[in-house]
Amino acid sequence: MSVISPARNTHTVDYDQLPTAQQNLFDQLMAQADNTASATEYEALMAALIAITGITGVRHNEILKCACPSCYCAQIFDADAPGLRTVEEPQGYNLGRLQCPSCTSDHPAPDAD
C-alpha cells in the first residue's frame, strides 16, 4: 500500500532559485501582464506565471515580485498576501509595486502617494 502525501503549499518563491530559462520566461510574461489591455489575457498570463513558479494558494490569481526600493529582494508572492506595503500606485500599467511582508517588516517603504 502506498501513501500519498498532500501537496506542499508554496506561498512564496525566490526568483533567484528559478532556473535561468524560467526567470527569462517569468520576466517576459510579467512584462506582458503589466502592459496588456485585455482582462482575459491578463488572467491567462497570471495563470501561466503561477504555474511556472509553482506558487500555491494564490487567492485572486495574481502574483508579484517584490518591488522593495531599499534592497534587492527576489521574493515572488501572492498579491493578496497579508503584510504587503504599496511602494507605487499603478499608473499606466497593470501590476502594483508592492513590498513583500519580510521587507515591509524589516525596512518599510514610505507610503505611496
Side-chain angles (χ1 to χ4, degrees), residues 2 8-9 22 33-34 44 57 62 65 70-73 75 78 81 90 104:
S2 64
R8 190 177 127 235
N9 283 341
Q22 273 182 282
D34 205 15
E62 185 175 39
K65 185 175 173 212
S70 300
C71 73
Y72 170 77
C73 179
Q75 289 301 302
D78 180 352
T104 297

Side-chain angles (χ1 to χ4, degrees), residues 10-71:
T10 306
H11 298 290
T12 64
V13 170
D14 185 336
Y15 174 87
D16 292 338
Q17 297 302 311
L18 297 174
T20 302
Q22 273 182 282
Q23 288 179 8
N24 293 338
L25 182 57
F26 178 87
D27 294 341
Q28 179 184 29
L29 295 176
M30 285 297 273
Q32 289 175 3
D34 205 15
N35 294 299
T36 186
S38 165
T40 303
E41 182 180 9
Y42 182 82
E43 290 174 9
L45 289 164
M46 280 295 151
L49 284 157
I50 291 165
I52 66 166
T53 59
I55 291 178
T56 59
V58 177
R59 294 182 189 100
H60 293 104
N61 197 36
E62 185 175 39
I63 61 173
L64 297 171
K65 185 175 173 212
C66 186
C68 183
S70 300
C71 73

